[in-house]
Amino acid sequence: MLEAKLQEAGLLKKLLDAIKELVTDANFECNEEGINLQAMDNSHVALVSVLIQAAGFKRYRCDRPMPLGVNLGSLTKVLKCAKDDDICTLKAADEADLLNLVYEAKNSDRIAEYEMKLMDIDSDQLGIPETEYDARVTLPSNEFSRIVRDLSLLGESVRIEVSKEGVRFASEGEAANGSILLRQTEGSISGGKIVALSKDGDDDGEVKEEDDEEENEDDDEDEEGSKKKKKSKGKKEKKVKKEDGDEDEEMGDVDEDGEEEQDDESEDEEESNGKKRKKKASSSSKPAKKAKTSKSKKGDDDDDTSGVLIEMNQHVSLTFSLKYLVNFSKSGSLANKVQLMMSNDVPLLVAYEFDQGHIRYYLAPKIGDD
Amino acid sequence: MLEAKLQEAGLLKKLLDAIKELVTDANFECNEEGINLQAMDNSHVALVSVLIQAAGFKRYRCDRPMPLGVNLGSLTKVLKCAKDDDICTLKAADEADLLNLVYEAKNSDRIAEYEMKLMDIDSDQLGIPETEYDARVTLPSNEFSRIVRDLSLLGESVRIEVSKEGVRFASEGEAANGSILLRQTEGSISGGKIVALSKDGDDDGEVKEEDDEEENEDDDEDEEGSKKKKKSKGKKEKKVKKEDGDEDEEMGDVDEDGEEEQDDESEDEEESNGKKRKKKASSSSKPAKKAKTSKSKKGDDDDDTSGVLIEMNQHVSLTFSLKYLVNFSKSGSLANKVQLMMSNDVPLLVAYEFDQGHIRYYLAPKIGDD
DNA sequence: CTAAGGTGTT
DNA sequence: AACACCTTAG
């Protein structure tokens, strides 16, 4: 059976708000790791993947894996009956066709209980290849929302181009064309300089502008410690797939395969941080963990709420449907930042990472662009 | 002629907002006591009764009773032209077919004047039996709004059940079922204990904390009670009409329900004597003043803006159309609290009491419930 | 975080 | 009129 107690019903409400227009029905795959949802959008163009880790719950118990087939419209309705700060408990018996939701007002005598019918849904769990991307743009989620909303007024598509200049969002419409350029934020770790994405693995094929080889002291920045402040926080290294997303349990079975963990280091912790210091022989073997905690709070560059971080190994230029991006951007309420991960001719990954989970969208580029 | 000066146009605006979807046309019955409106909703299922006492006006003059037939849509439009804090004066000549509205900005030289056409409306003044209720639930009006709004997402009906446990609102729908339980607020006069309704009498709306009759009978609970309810109703003595609502301008009374007094003359008399005649039906004039001292803490219970107060003599369980309750709950902007008065198989009374008046709704239960 | 007000949209 | 969205004030 499942019993999952969420401190704030608001999280679930926001998640549902974010995806309910994209997907009508989906399986909530519950297992001891947490709750995962993965679904194609109704027109089979986009893919959404949601995870709430077990640790993200106030209490979590799931004896054995069970898929809960949920009509998201129904769940949205039921969740509308909860206040954001209600404590929300999800319960389901094994093989049950009902999901029980209990809302406890934080401070009152009010207890609301709902039971929602479940349904059988063919779970076409799609394995998502763990792609390595040529470019990653991290920007405030509200900035992203604004950009796609603005451009959607002009045209239907947006070309996203990452170059040394920065990241450009360009759209063409009948009435007008628009182009928005975001430069790397000055004062950031890289001092405004666009850095290379490091490969996740030991692959050094990418052009790293600088190397983590650096000693711990300045491993934070390219510039000579001009911005030391950052350093103190987490060890920032421009790398890879998901620095903020600690969870590397990529959706699908793919991650399960464990192929990904090419940990040069034997430490999972580190690897999960995406900070791979192959030669970190130096001092810290453990500090990585520390960084993790600190980052959960704030202070990590990636958590800088206002900055734009651009990492790239290669120029990318891709065109996407704005309609979907606008839809994705609804998740902005879940996280201050969003990451756009791109490689040419590969689906875009739009990732929002929050405390103990994430919501990620994949969208194939339009062809014939660029 | 009528001349009624309202300190705040906002009151009228809110009243109109509250009922305009329920009723399209209605007579504003003006007499020396104040302005009263009573109408069945368009589908003749619910009844709404609005009163603004003469004392509720900054100035009030009404030489003789006059009904003003108003199209509520028109009045709403005209009232939209007033700011909430405008001083609003209503004027009508005898036999006039025009209503004059003057808005004076509180602090400026602005004077706006509108005249609205009146219409003749057959006044089917329905007598409302002065029922004594088996249960009264007093709760914050926003809480009530929230509950009915939430449940209306799920189903069309709500079963309201008052028991020793508290008051439960339960609804069943296709997608989900919901149940909200409100317990008596701790720390209230009764310390969380659900008290019996006090009898009608000259009490000033106070609740008796300890009712001597509380322990002596069965009517508080038991399965038998439910079957005896009909019978008991006739003999029940612990009933309350309206503790807070002193105005007894009810049309008709249980005692005289055989006769509908629609006559202006007798009506006026009743209203003018309302306060005095209150005791006429109640044999016992048990003073409830005592209770007042015991409830020192939060002041008057009915003024406690956040608490839930439950008074009952007998378990009640009734089912109502949520659509109407949602409509009623719009009046929440007029008062912090709302009272639900119920007896089995009798129309629910939803009462909002504000400074010098009230808005009350009556809704017949659905049959075949419970 | 909630409530309220304003806007735009269907 | 209702809903969704955003901003603002408390």
Side-chain angles (χ1 to χ4, degrees):
Chain A
M1 61 96 74
L2 167 75
E3 185 167 333
K5 188 174 209 166
L6 209 49
Q7 181 61 43
E8 306 232 330
L11 173 63
L12 215 44
K13 295 177 69 169
K14 287 175 189 161
L15 282 171
L16 264 290
D17 277 347
I19 64 174
K20 69 168 191 286
E21 283 184 45
L22 221 44
V23 183
T24 57
D25 304 294
N27 274 324
F28 282 68
E29 301 283 350
C30 306
N31 58 44
E32 58 181 11
E33 297 296 319
I35 299 179
N36 191 289
L37 177 155
Q38 183 186 130
M40 296 291 290
D41 83 296
N42 295 328
S43 49
H44 266 236
V45 171
L47 189 148
V48 58
S49 167
V50 177
L51 172 76
I52 310 175
Q53 293 178 74
F57 293 91
K58 191 175 180 181
R59 190 172 74 235
Y60 187 84
R61 173 189 168 195
C62 184
D63 301 331
R64 53 172 171 170
M66 51 197 293
L68 305 179
V70 171
N71 175 282
L72 300 189
S74 299
L75 181 54
T76 299
K77 278 185 184 175
V78 174
L79 284 172
K80 283 220 172 101
C81 301
K83 296 180 74 171
D84 279 359
D85 61 349
D86 279 350
I87 296 166
C88 170
T89 306
L90 308 177
K91 288 188 247 181
D94 292 331
E95 312 298 333
D97 62 345
L98 283 180
L99 175 63
N100 197 268
L101 297 100
V102 178
Y103 307 143
E104 299 170 63
K106 191 151 288 181
N107 50 357
S108 87
D109 304 322
R110 187 185 207 266
I111 295 182
E113 193 165 351
Y114 297 84
E115 56 182 34
M116 188 186 65
K117 291 181 184 63
L118 295 177
M119 55 199 294
D120 281 327
I121 299 175
D122 290 341
S123 63
D124 45 343
Q125 283 294 89
L126 291 148
I128 303 172
E130 175 67 10
T131 313
E132 297 185 345
Y133 293 92
D134 286 329
R136 175 173 60 193
V137 178
T138 306
L139 69 164
S141 52
N142 54 4
E143 176 81 69
F144 180 61
S145 299
R146 179 70 201 244
I147 289 168
V148 296
R149 192 164 16 96
D150 284 353
L151 293 181
S152 69
L153 296 176
L154 305 181
E156 301 204 328
S157 303
V158 59
R159 190 182 75 247
I160 305 180
E161 192 176 357
V162 185
S163 67
K164 285 192 169 176
E165 192 186 18
V167 56
R168 180 180 298 279
F169 301 81
S171 188
E172 298 180 2
E174 292 186 2
N177 300 334
S179 171
I180 298 161
L181 173 66
L182 296 183
R183 289 199 183 85
Q184 170 94 292
T185 300
E186 293 295 330
S188 68
I189 167 183
S190 57
K193 183 179 178 186
I194 293 171
V195 302
L197 252 179
S198 61
K199 272 294 176 71
D200 176 28
D202 44 22
D203 176 2
D204 283 324
E206 306 310 335
V207 186
K208 296 182 182 177
E209 301 205 28
E210 82 272 336
D211 214 12
D212 29 36
E213 248 82 21
E214 305 159 353
E215 38 297 290
N216 294 335
E217 289 73 321
D218 39 352
D219 60 351
D220 274 354
E221 61 275 15
D222 328 351
E223 326 298 11
E224 313 323 298
S226 57
K227 313 342 205 219
K228 297 267 198 204
K229 55 184 182 186
K230 311 292 185 170
K231 169 182 70 175
S232 60
K233 311 299 187 120
K235 344 297 251 54
K236 158 100 206 132
E237 302 189 2
K238 7 299 161 174
K239 300 247 154 166
V240 151
K241 306 189 270 190
K242 275 149 212 110
E243 288 184 347
D244 334 47
D246 301 333
E247 337 73 19
D248 271 352
E249 67 334 40
E250 292 332 284
M251 50 296 305
D253 359 302
V254 176
D255 53 84
E256 299 297 334
D257 299 341
E259 299 295 352
E260 286 309 332
E261 354 217 14
Q262 62 293 59
D263 24 28
D264 301 343
E265 303 305 325
S266 56
E267 298 187 5
D268 290 17
E269 292 287 353
E270 295 239 331
E271 188 264 344
S272 70
N273 272 343
K275 330 255 180 183
K276 173 146 309 293
R277 314 191 196 76
K278 323 181 229 194
K279 348 229 148 102
K280 75 177 169 17
S282 56
S283 58
S284 57
S285 60
K286 280 297 95 182
K289 172 133 194 163
K290 188 181 204 165
K292 180 170 192 168
T293 58
S294 71
K295 127 175 119 74
S296 65
K297 258 316 184 234
K298 73 191 266 153
D300 209 7
D301 294 300
D302 294 334
D303 291 342
D304 177 352
T305 184
S306 63
V308 176
L309 176 65
I310 299 171
E311 297 155 282
M312 65 167 252
N313 292 322
Q314 171 175 329
H315 176 278
V316 297
S317 177
L318 295 158
T319 300
F320 302 98
S321 159
L322 276 166
K323 171 183 148 199
Y324 286 95
L325 297 184
V326 168
N327 227 318
F328 299 168
S329 72
K330 288 182 180 173
S331 298
S333 59
L334 284 157
N336 288 330
K337 308 208 65 117
V338 59
Q339 289 184 41
L340 311 179
M341 316 274 287
M342 288 165 284
S343 292
N344 288 315
D345 304 317
V346 165
L348 162 72
L349 164 55
V350 181
Y352 295 85
E353 309 284 339
F354 49 87
D355 264 358
Q356 296 286 343
H358 65 233
I359 179 166
R360 294 176 185 165
Y361 301 92
Y362 296 83
L363 179 63
K366 289 192 172 182
I367 53 176
D369 63 290
D370 188 32
Chain B
M1 60 101 70
L2 166 77
E3 185 169 332
K5 188 174 209 168
L6 209 49
Q7 181 60 44
E8 306 234 328
L11 173 63
L12 216 42
K13 295 176 71 169
K14 287 175 188 161
L15 281 170
L16 264 289
D17 276 347
I19 65 175
K20 70 169 190 286
E21 282 182 52
L22 223 44
V23 183
T24 57
D25 304 294
N27 275 323
F28 282 68
E29 302 282 351
C30 306
N31 58 44
E32 59 182 9
E33 294 297 317
I35 298 179
N36 191 287
L37 177 153
Q38 183 186 130
M40 297 291 289
D41 83 295
N42 295 329
S43 52
H44 265 235
V45 172
L47 189 147
V48 57
S49 167
V50 176
L51 173 75
I52 310 175
Q53 294 178 72
F57 292 91
K58 192 175 180 182
R59 189 171 75 234
Y60 188 83
R61 173 190 166 194
C62 184
D63 301 331
R64 55 172 172 170
M66 50 196 295
L68 305 178
V70 171
N71 174 283
L72 300 188
S74 300
L75 181 53
T76 299
K77 281 183 184 171
V78 174
L79 284 172
K80 283 222 168 97
C81 303
K83 297 183 65 177
D84 279 0
D85 61 349
D86 279 351
I87 296 166
C88 169
T89 306
L90 308 177
K91 286 188 250 183
D94 292 333
E95 312 297 336
D97 62 346
L98 283 179
L99 175 64
N100 194 268
L101 297 98
V102 179
Y103 308 143
E104 299 171 61
K106 185 153 289 176
N107 48 0
S108 86
D109 302 326
R110 184 185 206 268
I111 294 183
E113 193 165 350
Y114 297 83
E115 55 181 33
M116 188 187 63
K117 290 187 183 60
L118 295 176
M119 55 199 295
D120 280 328
I121 299 175
D122 289 341
S123 62
D124 47 342
Q125 285 293 92
L126 290 145
I128 304 171
E130 174 67 10
T131 313
E132 297 185 345
Y133 293 93
D134 286 329
R136 175 173 59 193
V137 178
T138 305
L139 70 163
S141 52
N142 55 4
E143 177 81 70
F144 180 63
S145 298
R146 178 75 202 234
I147 289 168
V148 295
R149 193 165 16 99
D150 282 354
L151 293 181
S152 68
L153 294 175
L154 305 181
E156 302 205 328
S157 303
V158 60
R159 190 181 75 245
I160 305 179
E161 193 175 358
V162 184
S163 68
K164 285 190 167 175
E165 193 185 20
V167 56
R168 180 181 298 278
F169 301 82
S171 189
E172 297 179 3
E174 291 187 3
N177 301 332
S179 170
I180 297 159
L181 174 66
L182 297 183
R183 291 199 182 86
Q184 169 93 291
T185 300
E186 293 295 330
S188 66
I189 168 185
S190 55
K193 182 180 178 186
I194 294 171
V195 301
L197 263 174
S198 60
K199 298 186 200 78
D200 181 22
D202 55 357
D203 65 303
D204 4 304
E206 308 304 340
V207 176
K208 294 188 271 268
E209 183 169 5
E210 294 299 335
D211 193 329
D212 39 334
E213 299 173 84
E214 189 174 352
E215 28 255 332
N216 67 0
E217 72 292 70
D218 44 346
D219 53 5
D220 268 2
E221 80 291 52
D222 80 7
E223 302 67 17
E224 298 234 49
S226 62
K227 296 174 179 81
K228 295 192 288 193
K229 60 191 175 190
K230 305 290 175 71
K231 180 183 71 169
S232 65
K233 215 172 288 176
K235 67 170 169 66
K236 183 157 302 274
E237 5 181 337
K238 305 196 314 186
K239 300 272 186 154
V240 164
K241 293 193 265 189
K242 264 146 218 118
E243 290 183 348
D244 326 54
D246 293 335
E247 330 79 22
D248 275 346
E249 76 313 84
E250 264 64 27
M251 337 281 138
D253 188 315
V254 174
D255 301 324
E256 47 193 5
D257 59 4
E259 190 59 59
E260 277 319 338
E261 323 240 352
Q262 301 179 336
D263 184 288
D264 285 342
E265 196 173 301
S266 60
E267 180 97 12
D268 287 345
E269 178 142 281
E270 286 220 347
E271 291 183 355
S272 62
N273 292 329
K275 312 260 188 206
K276 294 175 248 171
R277 88 192 229 286
K278 215 173 2 177
K279 316 177 159 81
K280 70 178 181 358
S282 62
S283 54
S284 66
S285 56
K286 184 181 293 280
K289 307 277 184 184
K290 238 198 312 194
K292 187 161 200 165
T293 59
S294 69
K295 77 166 74 154
S296 55
K297 182 178 299 181
K298 296 193 166 187
D300 203 337
D301 294 297
D302 295 331
D303 293 341
D304 178 354
T305 185
S306 64
V308 176
L309 176 66
I310 299 170
E311 297 156 280
M312 67 167 238
N313 292 322
Q314 172 175 328
H315 176 277
V316 297
S317 178
L318 294 159
T319 299
F320 302 98
S321 160
L322 277 166
K323 172 182 146 198
Y324 286 96
L325 297 184
V326 169
N327 226 318
F328 300 168
S329 72
K330 289 182 181 173
S331 298
S333 59
L334 285 157
N336 288 328
K337 307 208 66 119
V338 60
Q339 288 184 41
L340 311 179
M341 315 273 288
M342 287 166 284
S343 292
N344 289 312
D345 304 316
V346 164
L348 162 73
L349 165 54
V350 180
Y352 294 87
E353 310 285 339
F354 48 88
D355 265 359
Q356 295 287 342
H358 65 234
I359 180 165
R360 294 177 184 164
Y361 301 91
Y362 297 84
L363 179 64
K366 288 192 173 184
I367 54 176
D369 65 287
D370 192 32

